[in-house]
Amino acid sequence: MEAVGKNGLRVENLGCKYDKDWVFRNLNFEVKPGEAVAIVGPSGSGKTTLAYCLVGIIPNRIKAEVEGRIIVDDKNVLTSKIQENVKLINIVMQNYEMQIFGLTVEEDLAFSLENLGLDNHEIEVKVRWALEKFGLMNYRTYYVHELSGGLKQRLAIASAIIMAPKYLVMDEPMANLDWGGIMELAKTINMLKMDGKGLIVMTRRLKGLENSIDRVISLNGEGILIKPEVKLCENIPPSSPSYGSDPVITFENVWFRYSKEKDYTLREINLEICRGQCVALMGPNGSGKTTLVKHINGLLKPVKGRVIILGKDTRGYSTAQLSRFVGMVFQDPDKHITCETVWDEVVFGARNLGLSEKYAEDALRDLGLIDRKNDPPYLLSMGEKIRLSIAGALAMDPEILILDEPTTGQDERTLAIISSMISRLKSMGKTIIVVTHDSDFALSVSDRVIVMRDGTIAADGSPQEILLNRLVVEELGLEPPAELLKLAEVMA
Amino acid sequence: MMANLNLDPRTKIIAFSSVIALAFISKDLLVIAALAAAIMAALLLSDRRGFIIRSLKGMIPLLIIAFLLWSFMHEWSLFQRYESGINLQLGVFMSLRLFLILLTSLGFVATIGMRDLVNALNSFKLPYKAVFVLGLTIRHLHTIAEDYKAIKEAQSSRGLELDKGSLFRRIKNYVPVLIPLFVRSIENAERLILAMELRAFSLNRRGSMGRELKILDLVVIGGFISALILAILHYLFAVI
């Protein structure tokens, strides 16, 4: 191994385990100043554990058995205090919202500087520098909760960088970003590299950051292997579009706004979705996708116009009543896990509606969770939890299934299980709506793609028509699917 | 005056406390009416007038009830003894006093940002620990409220009827909403402690606020304090 000398981050024979099994062992890698390294691996491969080791959260705060060393500028972070480490290496966590302390943007930037005991003038100068550097000047007096996800993340990065660490770890920074947000993140990474910061990005997929990342290290159970280039997703066979003739969801001139003072979030939506279709609903964050699907199960009712689900006007029914027909799987499964065992969790909905429990068992089997039936749900991994909530929705045998961002943070295995479940449901005549940013996933599962922008439907057509058309993808700010990227490479 | 957001938050706190104190000390209808009119005028000039007017509309029934009770049923008052019979003047006085208190509190809440409040308390030399925790709570109220809403939506999508049945039944219905909310809050608290360390947090730091008060602030504070002293001397000690 090449010696990094005084400047640089060096991981030597690092291993970590919480109880019996090693999460990883014999990790060796280096990061130089001004370099961005991506550490990729499926969910559960130990990315977060590694991230926590790099700043010394493990073993300082979270108890785990650690072997090996992490040397940053001649200092072993594993044996020094976190308060000392943060001046050398800091982290933006996956749940970066918790890292924001100020009520306003400016205040948050000042927070760490105040903690470091700087005087008011110095704080002012540095805050100003960070606001300009990270393009947050216009938002300086905004309340933090008014910011979009991408801006909040940028603030979290700025607040970490303002303490002038030499290295920054980012844990799954792309998890909740739309394509535009990912492009902005790539710019931020490039800028930090220019400033000579070393970056370590933990991620499930690299898409969008290829040009900012210098090296990719793949993380698996045994150790590490360095790959020269980014692996693109496998080729997807084109599916033939089949538009049914039996509408189960109808939007008639629907307008919606959250309150009278606000602008309309949905404007004049006219839409018909037929039985047996799988529709991918796409578009940037804040374009109204979630608002639209919440109309289907009656969580929201139109301000103007009407929504007809299986012949029923949603205004006359509660969400609980509609849940008999419309299953909705939310993005964050932790939000609704209530019961003590996986089985109780799956039949929760069916019991609420007084349905038999026969579908629950099938659903668990299909989603590969039948062996975990008696386990407490809190022990499941994120991918398993997502599958558990899908199983919970299927246990109610709904006619329509809505999946909100099922691909976020999921590994290939979970994605494959979800895809095969979708095709089976389609063959049973069920209707599926998938809200997603993942163009590759949309291409592989859907018969129809609807793209939203500013509360209106900007495009509606077959997945090939929309997602494989470079002009359309660019115009609508969608994530280009792997096929399109490959094509662009060939052309170049 | 209070409506002007350029006033220092400390001024607002002092003005607010003085008006509330004056409302209780003053025994003259005219004094109360003048105070109410002045504050009303100030609030109507502020940019929060929409909120103020809307909230006040909702309070009209309360004021009418107060007027009726004090005019006709003051004999049964627990606090003070008045002559028996109908006393319309007392009704007007009491409902106007209530109006003044509501209006001032409303104006205070509407024009002071939570951040200002925390900063002002900080500069009043309250312990930093307490002020920091208050600030953190305010910052996270929003997160908790969002979580609560999202959990409620998720559970009703799973066929949970929240607002149906007897009171007991309804309370029981909320259990599947509250459990994930508690679990999340505890998890968040753990992450928060971690995040605090990552930002080099320590409780020993000094408060950062300490801006000089402007002349306008001093005038407003002086005005309210002298009014309060005059009122105390006049009503409580009958000196002037």
Side-chain angles (χ1 to χ4, degrees):
Chain A
M1 191 194 292
E2 187 197 332
V4 192
K6 198 165 162 37
N7 285 323
L9 180 153
R10 200 165 69 238
V11 174
E12 292 174 354
N13 298 319
L14 186 68
C16 179
K17 67 174 175 180
Y18 293 107
D19 36 42
K20 288 198 300 288
D21 299 322
W22 291 95
V23 183
F24 48 73
R25 211 173 177 183
N26 295 326
L27 279 186
N28 283 293
F29 66 90
E30 288 175 8
V31 183
K32 297 187 190 73
E35 187 183 39
V37 170
I39 297 187
V40 292
S43 71
S45 61
K47 294 192 297 288
T48 301
T49 303
L50 176 56
Y52 281 0
C53 287
L54 286 170
V55 277
I57 295 173
I58 295 175
N60 270 313
R61 276 290 152 264
I62 297 173
K63 290 290 156 246
E65 197 180 312
V66 187
E67 57 174 32
R69 301 196 302 165
I70 299 172
I71 308 292
V72 182
D73 289 6
D74 280 348
K75 197 168 162 191
N76 187 355
V77 294
L78 293 174
T79 53
S80 26
K81 283 186 178 155
I82 297 184
Q83 281 95 329
E84 292 303 310
N85 290 343
V86 291
K87 293 173 201 160
L88 278 178
I89 179 163
N90 213 324
I91 179 173
V92 177
M93 297 193 276
Q94 186 170 3
N95 196 330
Y96 45 80
E97 214 155 302
M98 300 308 300
Q99 285 182 280
I100 299 176
F101 288 91
L103 288 171
T104 64
V105 171
E106 216 171 11
E107 213 175 289
D108 189 64
L109 287 169
F111 180 76
S112 356
L113 301 176
E114 286 167 358
N115 291 336
L116 291 175
L118 302 188
D119 66 46
N120 282 350
H121 177 70
E122 239 176 313
I123 292 178
E124 223 167 274
V125 171
K126 289 202 170 188
V127 166
R128 205 176 168 79
W129 167 83
L131 286 170
E132 268 165 19
K133 185 99 191 159
F134 289 87
L136 291 166
M137 205 40 135
N138 293 338
Y139 305 100
R140 52 192 277 258
T141 55
Y142 274 50
Y143 281 104
V144 169
H145 63 77
E146 294 171 328
L147 300 180
S148 73
L151 281 173
K152 261 187 216 162
Q153 186 187 45
R154 218 190 298 163
L155 173 62
I157 297 175
S159 292
I161 289 293
I162 207 168
M163 296 169 79
K166 292 183 174 162
Y167 297 88
L168 185 67
V169 181
M170 294 186 217
D171 192 8
E172 288 284 1
M174 296 187 286
N176 291 307
L177 296 182
D178 55 17
W179 188 246
I182 293 175
M183 295 290 99
E184 286 293 326
L185 178 68
K187 270 191 224 159
T188 309
I189 291 179
N190 287 337
M191 179 191 84
L192 292 173
K193 272 166 59 182
M194 298 275 285
D195 285 358
K197 309 280 180 200
L199 298 161
I200 303 108
V201 182
M202 313 287 170
T203 182
R204 184 181 68 84
R205 57 205 295 256
L206 256 189
K207 209 164 166 191
L209 296 186
E210 295 93 338
N211 296 329
S212 315
I213 299 289
D214 302 304
R215 255 182 322 132
V216 181
I217 297 170
S218 148
L219 192 62
N220 58 28
E222 283 88 47
I224 212 110
L225 90 207
I226 296 178
K227 283 187 180 174
E229 65 178 299
V230 183
K231 184 181 150 259
L232 290 169
C233 286
E234 67 282 2
N235 210 349
I236 292 125
S239 60
S240 54
S242 58
Y243 285 63
S245 55
D246 177 12
V248 284
I249 301 168
T250 313
F251 278 67
E252 283 175 13
N253 195 18
V254 170
W255 291 73
F256 179 80
R257 59 181 169 194
Y258 282 94
S259 74
K260 277 187 184 158
E261 287 94 56
K262 291 198 177 134
D263 263 357
Y264 281 98
T265 317
L266 293 183
R267 304 156 195 272
E268 213 187 342
I269 302 283
N270 284 295
L271 185 65
E272 223 169 54
I273 295 174
C274 295
R275 193 180 293 282
Q277 256 186 7
C278 175
V279 177
L281 190 58
M282 306 183 75
N285 287 342
S287 58
K289 303 184 298 287
T290 303
T291 309
L292 184 91
V293 293
K294 279 184 181 170
H295 276 83
I296 299 176
N297 78 339
L299 280 173
L300 298 174
K301 316 271 161 144
V303 172
K304 271 188 254 173
R306 53 185 199 151
V307 179
I308 313 284
I309 305 298
L310 297 158
K312 297 174 186 65
D313 188 329
T314 57
R315 283 174 301 186
Y317 295 85
S318 73
T319 300
Q321 286 165 328
L322 286 168
S323 68
R324 174 71 194 82
F325 313 100
V326 185
M328 178 106 147
V329 179
F330 286 88
Q331 202 176 345
D332 184 355
D334 280 335
K335 284 211 172 126
H336 50 78
I337 288 179
T338 335
C339 306
E340 281 167 35
T341 66
V342 167
W343 176 252
D344 286 332
E345 193 59 40
V346 170
V347 295
F348 179 88
R351 280 183 189 154
N352 279 333
L353 297 175
L355 298 175
S356 86
E357 296 172 3
K358 66 177 176 182
Y359 295 104
E361 185 125 7
D362 292 344
L364 271 187
R365 191 167 297 117
D366 288 344
L367 289 158
L369 287 173
I370 195 81
D371 299 335
R372 319 268 334 230
K373 209 170 145 176
N374 298 317
D375 288 348
Y378 288 108
L379 285 185
L380 301 183
S381 74
M382 207 54 189
E384 287 168 330
K385 279 184 190 167
I386 290 266
R387 283 186 266 148
L388 171 61
S389 41
I390 298 177
L394 293 179
M396 291 148 82
D397 189 34
E399 283 302 308
I400 299 163
L401 181 67
I402 302 167
L403 304 170
D404 193 358
E405 300 278 7
T407 60
T408 303
Q410 294 314 308
D411 51 69
E412 300 306 322
R413 180 163 171 261
T414 302
L415 289 187
I417 294 178
I418 296 175
S419 311
S420 71
M421 181 221 48
I422 290 177
S423 46
R424 210 170 32 76
L425 288 175
K426 273 199 309 196
S427 68
M428 288 159 68
K430 310 278 186 193
T431 311
I432 301 110
I433 295 169
V434 187
V435 179
T436 185
H437 290 306
D438 188 334
S439 297
D440 295 307
F441 186 72
L443 264 177
S444 76
V445 301
S446 68
D447 312 306
R448 176 178 172 189
V449 171
I450 295 173
V451 186
M452 306 231 9
R453 190 166 58 180
D454 299 333
T456 56
I457 294 176
D460 183 354
S462 81
Q464 288 75 22
E465 239 168 50
I466 291 176
L467 294 174
L468 295 182
N469 184 333
R470 204 161 65 90
L471 291 178
V472 175
V473 167
E474 274 171 18
E475 164 72 24
L476 297 173
L478 299 175
E479 172 198 306
E483 274 182 70
L484 209 57
L485 289 176
K486 261 189 209 164
L487 202 69
E489 251 172 58
V490 171
M491 301 276 275
Chain B
M1 286 165 283
M2 285 181 67
N4 190 332
L5 286 167
N6 293 328
L7 278 184
D8 192 279
R10 283 169 286 183
T11 314
K12 287 181 189 169
I13 294 178
I14 293 171
F16 167 71
S17 326
S18 322
V19 174
I20 297 291
L22 282 171
F24 282 104
I25 296 171
S26 308
K27 296 192 173 66
D28 286 314
L29 181 63
L30 280 179
V31 174
I32 299 278
L35 265 174
I39 288 174
M40 190 73 188
L43 287 178
L44 286 180
L45 288 174
S46 81
D47 51 358
R48 299 302 304 271
R49 76 180 78 78
F51 170 76
I52 305 275
I53 292 170
R54 247 180 296 131
S55 314
L56 282 180
K57 272 187 194 156
M59 291 174 188
I60 291 174
L62 194 71
L63 294 173
I64 293 174
I65 292 172
F67 173 73
L68 294 175
L69 283 177
W70 281 103
S71 301
F72 300 103
M73 304 176 74
H74 54 83
E75 284 171 62
W76 289 283
S77 166
L78 290 175
F79 308 107
Q80 269 152 319
R81 285 273 142 245
Y82 298 96
E83 290 160 27
S84 56
I86 297 170
N87 191 342
L88 289 178
Q89 206 188 345
L90 184 65
V92 172
F93 176 76
M94 283 301 186
S95 44
L96 203 59
R97 177 190 267 180
L98 181 65
F99 174 72
L100 175 64
I101 293 168
L102 289 175
L103 184 72
T104 315
S105 315
L106 206 64
F108 183 67
V109 173
T111 60
I112 195 162
M114 283 305 158
R115 179 196 177 191
D116 296 339
L117 187 63
V118 170
N119 279 338
L121 291 176
N122 203 358
S123 62
F124 279 141
K125 303 265 184 281
L126 261 83
Y128 178 65
K129 262 182 215 177
V131 177
F132 178 75
V133 170
L134 177 69
L136 210 57
T137 314
I138 294 165
R139 151 86 183 82
H140 283 275
L141 270 183
H142 202 263
T143 316
I144 296 169
E146 294 269 286
D147 277 348
Y148 171 73
K149 217 179 108 200
I151 295 168
K152 226 170 108 172
E153 286 187 343
Q155 299 301 38
S156 52
S157 302
R158 300 209 290 167
L160 184 71
E161 285 280 9
L162 287 169
D163 299 310
K164 224 176 186 179
S166 64
L167 184 68
F168 180 68
R169 173 87 230 152
R170 280 183 204 203
I171 294 171
K172 228 179 126 199
N173 285 346
Y174 271 86
V175 171
V177 175
L178 294 178
I179 291 174
L181 191 65
F182 283 138
V183 172
R184 280 181 81 83
S185 303
I186 292 166
E187 282 175 354
N188 282 347
E190 279 175 0
R191 287 197 198 109
L192 199 66
I193 294 167
L194 205 60
M196 274 156 72
E197 276 195 88
L198 291 172
R199 311 252 332 240
F201 179 73
S202 81
L203 275 173
N204 306 323
R205 76 177 220 207
R206 62 207 151 74
S208 62
M209 264 294 287
R211 258 191 329 213
E212 294 274 302
L213 287 173
K214 282 177 290 188
I215 304 220
L216 179 64
D217 289 308
L218 294 175
V219 170
V220 172
I221 293 177
F224 275 106
I225 300 276
S226 18
L228 193 60
I229 293 171
L230 282 177
I232 291 173
L233 291 178
H234 179 72
Y235 291 108
L236 301 185
F237 298 105
V239 184
I240 24 177

